[in-house]
Amino acid sequence: MPSTADDWARDLCRYVDASPSPFHAVDESARRLEDAGFAAISPDDDRPTPGKWYLRSGGALVAWVDADRSADAPLRVIGAHTDSPNLRLKPLPDHGALGLRQVGVEVYGSALLNSWLDRDLGVSGRLVVRDGDGRVEHLVRDDRPVARIPQLAIHLDRDVNDKGLVLNPQTHLSPIVGSGKVESGAFVATLAAMADVDPTDVLAFDAMYHDVVPSCLSGPDNEFVSAPRLDDLLSCHAGTEALIAVAGQGSGPDAGQAVPVLALFDHEEVGSVSATGAAGPILKRTLRQFVNFDGRRSDGSLVLSVDGAHGTHPNFREHHDDEHQVLLNGGPVLKFNAKERYATDAPGAAEVRHLAEQAGVPLQSFVSRSDMPCGTTIGPATASGTGMRTVDLGVAQLAMHSAREFCGSKDPAMLGRLLEAALAG
Ligand code: ZN
């Protein structure tokens, strides 16, 4: 576990840069867990002996430690999501005009579309490739600036600064990916080259664009983190590192009192309703199959749904509730909403405040303005799916859902300490 807040933030940057897609995020968490002695298990395996295990499925991962815990020890679950808003390739993407080759994209999630303009873009994803009579999956990525969506010059759109930029996702967002004649199959051929396979063997792909500029600490005193996908890779990173820390805390009387669980879900940005989303069965099914879910004490069990929180923006303070200002580097943020867009209730908030006091971590509180709708996260889906007490919290950030987001550099380590205390039970 990184020792200082800056080390933690730099490790977060490495995690984010290793994870241009949800599949890569799962791969990076799995790699770190394996390095810490966790072993992979598949849904078709029998129940293993207690130990350190993880199960992965596409963009989702569930990991737990049940060695040296009693069969009814409560569950402590950290949930986060691996997906972020971005631009995703259409199945037949190749088109173009005027001597330029372009590709068709769909908008994934509630992306700030303007943030994808004038930005050097790399591409990543997974391919499913014919392999004899079977099929194999390849993760691929190209971090070179292979695509770009140039903005229209202001001389051709004089009102844009006064009236705002309106972008049609079908007609205005096709990245330019090269020059010359358009050839159908060209995009698949580039993916096939990344995986070193024959293009005719590529049966299908899930591919998406990402900002190629590496994540970094920013500000004169490294006060901030500038990175893509902080929502919600910041929480995936903290959850992974907290689980590894708790798993390393010895056995016997030194082991935690609870069974710590990490649940990384896909598809939060499009509503969580999928086989690998928080509204799907993956968490509860895995806990039932391998972790004796129904025999666990509910007293002491807790889910922390960890996702980005809105810091109060200094240029747009009127968009925030005056009494609930949220500061960068002010500590993790408990999220409240009376309409259950967040799952936090008073006993859950009290439990997290108790844990934060023990860990020496300050907490903040977020609630939306009453005249503005509130976003949501995996908390309500996890609470209704498992019946477990769930608390929504996360690290404050600005520019949420931009291709490049911004947060304090001290908060991620504070979140890590809090999650470690929660997992220990
Ligand atoms: Zn999120």
Side-chain angles (χ1 to χ4, degrees):
M1 187 173 248
S3 54
T4 69
D6 279 11
D7 287 347
W8 184 284
R10 287 197 177 87
D11 192 55
L12 164 64
C13 291
R14 284 191 288 276
Y15 183 93
V16 169
D17 292 345
S19 309
S21 79
F23 319 115
H24 288 83
V26 163
D27 209 48
E28 175 64 9
S29 278
R31 185 187 69 72
R32 290 174 178 233
L33 290 168
E34 294 230 351
D35 285 351
F38 284 72
I41 192 168
S42 99
D44 299 324
D45 289 339
D46 292 332
R47 190 163 166 190
T49 53
K52 300 192 278 187
W53 298 99
Y54 76 91
L55 178 147
R56 64 190 282 181
S57 174
L61 176 145
V62 182
W64 64 93
V65 180
D66 57 353
D68 303 307
R69 272 78 171 176
S70 63
D72 71 342
L75 296 168
R76 289 298 178 103
V77 181
I78 290 185
H81 66 89
T82 57
D83 60 320
S84 303
N86 59 14
L87 303 179
R88 300 201 170 188
L89 275 298
K90 292 187 172 183
L92 303 172
D94 300 293
H95 68 95
L98 306 168
L100 298 173
R101 293 192 290 112
Q102 293 178 271
V103 288
V105 293
E106 285 186 282
V107 178
Y108 177 83
S110 304
L112 281 168
L113 297 182
N114 65 302
S115 69
W116 289 86
L117 305 179
D118 300 337
R119 193 176 288 274
D120 289 322
L121 303 175
V123 67
S124 74
R126 65 176 174 186
L127 312 185
V128 182
V129 177
R130 189 181 289 113
D131 182 40
D133 290 337
R135 295 183 291 275
V136 288
E137 252 180 66
H138 291 265
L139 290 190
V140 294
R141 64 185 297 171
D142 189 342
D143 292 323
R144 295 175 302 152
V146 292
R148 184 136 177 144
I149 311 168
Q151 191 163 193
L152 183 63
I154 194 165
H155 317 76
L156 308 178
D157 188 12
R158 287 284 182 192
D159 293 334
V160 64
N161 284 342
D162 303 322
K163 297 191 174 161
L165 179 63
V166 178
L167 294 169
N168 179 311
Q170 173 68 19
T171 57
H172 296 155
L173 290 180
S174 282
I176 294 171
V177 296
S179 60
K181 200 157 78 53
V182 177
E183 287 171 26
S184 73
F187 181 74
V188 167
T190 63
L191 291 180
M194 287 181 228
D196 198 20
V197 298
D198 193 304
T200 59
D201 286 332
V202 176
L203 299 169
F205 63 85
D206 295 313
M208 58 203 75
Y209 284 112
H210 63 272
D211 175 15
V212 297
V213 176
S215 306
C216 63
L217 271 57
S218 72
D221 296 313
N222 289 337
E223 306 99 308
F224 308 113
V225 178
S226 158
R229 304 182 295 283
L230 290 172
D231 173 11
D232 188 26
L233 294 183
L234 187 157
S235 310
C236 294
H237 168 257
T240 302
E241 288 301 313
L243 180 66
I244 288 170
V246 170
Q249 282 168 1
S251 58
D254 292 338
Q257 300 299 303
V259 170
V261 179
L262 172 69
L264 306 183
F265 299 106
D266 200 353
H267 301 137
E268 190 274 346
E269 300 294 359
V270 291
S272 293
V273 180
S274 78
T276 49
I282 185 165
L283 175 61
K284 191 167 180 185
R285 195 181 61 203
T286 304
L287 295 177
R288 275 224 161 104
Q289 188 175 353
F290 297 121
V291 198
N292 189 33
F293 177 76
D294 295 310
R296 300 268 166 205
R297 291 199 308 276
S298 60
D299 183 28
S301 286
L302 182 68
V303 178
L304 296 189
S305 157
V306 195
D307 199 355
H310 294 295
T312 302
H313 198 303
N315 299 351
F316 298 92
R317 291 172 62 173
E318 68 279 14
H319 289 249
H320 302 266
D321 186 283
D322 280 343
E323 310 311 320
H324 297 83
Q325 296 193 350
V326 173
L327 310 182
L328 301 188
N329 289 325
V333 185
L334 282 171
K335 301 193 273 186
F336 297 87
N337 180 258
K339 299 185 180 73
E340 288 293 317
R341 303 284 286 169
Y342 299 133
T344 314
D345 63 2
E351 172 69 23
V352 173
R353 289 205 168 109
H354 172 69
L355 290 166
E357 273 175 27
Q358 287 184 318
V361 170
L363 284 179
Q364 309 185 76
S365 297
F366 172 83
V367 68
S368 285
R369 282 182 62 102
S370 303
D371 53 5
M372 284 178 63
C374 180
T376 190
T377 175
I378 57 170
T382 313
S384 58
T386 62
M388 294 171 67
R389 167 154 289 133
T390 301
V391 175
D392 276 298
L393 75 162
V395 161
Q397 63 170 108
L398 303 180
M400 189 182 285
H401 289 195
S402 171
R404 192 84 182 179
E405 297 173 327
F406 190 67
C407 72
S409 62
K410 315 302 173 201
D411 287 325
M414 287 193 259
L415 176 68
R417 289 215 304 280
L418 176 61
L419 298 188
E420 189 182 333
L423 285 179

